[in-house]
């Protein structure tokens, strides 16, 4: 069983739409949670960390449900520039190094 | 602002050849790691290092060696290339361990094809 599972996508939405991505993780000891963004043929870059209380960064809202081992990312008012692959990432408790577990990614295309 | 620099960006190898993928960071990060990304598989950890002189295996270490003689550099060596090693390779570094929630910075990637 894979550590991190994501919606397979792809998601194709019009500009201005609201879109939500889901992610589940298998290790209940996972400690830190992130969403990374990866543009086509580029390196992943941190979009936002995910906190237990939920957090928002402009049009982006991330939620964490530890009991259900579930993470979500909501994008409001989608822009063309949001087109990318979104990677759900978790770490283990006690991981003192760059041991990140990546989901396979969910591809988003925003069309005009 | 160099960040994490990987070379080369593209490489074609013949089966059985060896080569070294270079990775350097100028952010004084202790933590460095190598991932490979294959279609439908996500990124998988090959090797990692928590500081100069300290390295360890990740999820898919077979066929690869690493060393960390300085804080800045973390090269990845392919000992005898195989077609199964055709992939995109990313080097990453971070200030603290991921459990602390610190951001990982990635290099631009190396696209390797083994024929």
């Amino acid at each position: 069983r894979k550590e991190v599972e994501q919606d397979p996508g792809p998601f194709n939405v019009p500009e201005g739409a609201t879109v939500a991505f889901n992610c589940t993780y298998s290790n209940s000891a996972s400690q830190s949670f992130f969403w990374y963004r990866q543009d086509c043929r580029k390196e992943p870059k941190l979009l936002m960390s995910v906190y237990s209380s939920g957090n928002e960064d402009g049009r982006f809202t991330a939620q964490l449900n530890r009991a259900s081992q579930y993470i979500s990312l909501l994008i409001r008012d989608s822009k063309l520039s949001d087109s990318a692959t979104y990677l759900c990432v978790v770490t283990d408790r006690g991981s003192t190094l760059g041991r990140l577990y990546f989901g396979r990614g969910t591809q988003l295309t925003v069309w005009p | 602002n160099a960040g994490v620099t990987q070379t080369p960006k593209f490489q074609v190898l013949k089966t059985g050849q060896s080569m070294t993928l270079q990775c350097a960071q100028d952010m004084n990060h202790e933590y460095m790691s190598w991932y490979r990304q294959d279609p439908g598989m996500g990124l998988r950890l090959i090797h990692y290092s928590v500081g100069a002189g300290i390295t360890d295996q990740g999820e898919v270490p077979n066929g690869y060696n690493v060393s960390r003689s300085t804080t800045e550099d973390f090269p990845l060596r392919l000992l005898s290339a195989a077609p199964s090693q055709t992939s995109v390779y990313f080097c990453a570094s971070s200030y603290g361990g991921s459990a602390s929630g610190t951001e990982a910075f990635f290099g631009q990637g190396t696209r390797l094809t083994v024929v």
Side-chain angles (χ1 to χ4, degrees), chain A residues 97-99, chain B residues 33-35 43-48 58-61:
Chain A
L97 45 94
R99 187 72 183 252
Chain B
S33 47
W34 276 101
Y35 295 87
L43 281 87
R44 293 180 293 169
L45 181 66
I46 304 172
H47 284 286
Y48 62 91
E59 184 183 356
V60 287

Side-chain angles (χ1 to χ4, degrees), chain A residues 10 16 27 38 47 51 55-56 64 66 71 73 77 80 92:
Chain A
N27 188 347
Q38 186 173 24
L47 177 67
Y51 303 117
N55 48 299
E56 188 174 303
L64 168 65
R66 284 187 182 269
I71 306 163
L73 177 67
D77 189 22
L80 297 177
D92 283 342

Side-chain angles (χ1 to χ4, degrees), chain B residues 19-40:
Chain B
M19 78 159 294
T20 300
L21 279 62
Q22 302 292 344
C23 176
Q25 52 91 9
D26 61 359
M27 297 173 282
N28 202 32
H29 286 170
E30 289 294 327
Y31 298 86
M32 296 187 74
S33 47
W34 276 101
Y35 295 87
R36 60 178 288 174
Q37 186 174 34
D38 302 294

Side-chain angles (χ1 to χ4, degrees), chain B residues 5-115:
Chain B
T5 302
Q6 276 183 247
T7 55
K9 287 188 169 55
F10 301 93
Q11 183 70 49
V12 178
L13 288 178
K14 293 182 178 178
T15 298
Q17 287 184 314
S18 63
M19 78 159 294
T20 300
L21 279 62
Q22 302 292 344
C23 176
Q25 52 91 9
D26 61 359
M27 297 173 282
N28 202 32
H29 286 170
E30 289 294 327
Y31 298 86
M32 296 187 74
S33 47
W34 276 101
Y35 295 87
R36 60 178 288 174
Q37 186 174 34
D38 302 294
M41 295 292 293
L43 281 87
R44 293 180 293 169
L45 181 66
I46 304 172
H47 284 286
Y48 62 91
S49 171
V50 301
I54 306 169
T55 64
D56 208 342
Q57 297 181 349
E59 184 183 356
V60 287
N62 292 341
Y64 308 95
N65 272 356
V66 292
S67 60
R68 184 94 179 271
S69 56
T70 66
T71 298
E72 294 78 20
D73 299 299
F74 191 44
L76 177 72
R77 281 183 290 278
L78 277 72
L79 308 173
S80 177
S84 61
Q85 293 179 303
T86 294
S87 187
V88 180
Y89 292 83
F90 289 102
C91 178
S93 75
S94 59
Y95 176 72
S98 293
S100 67
T102 56
E103 178 179 359
F105 294 85
F106 287 82
Q108 293 183 314
T110 298
R111 296 183 180 278
L112 175 68
T113 301
V114 182
V115 298

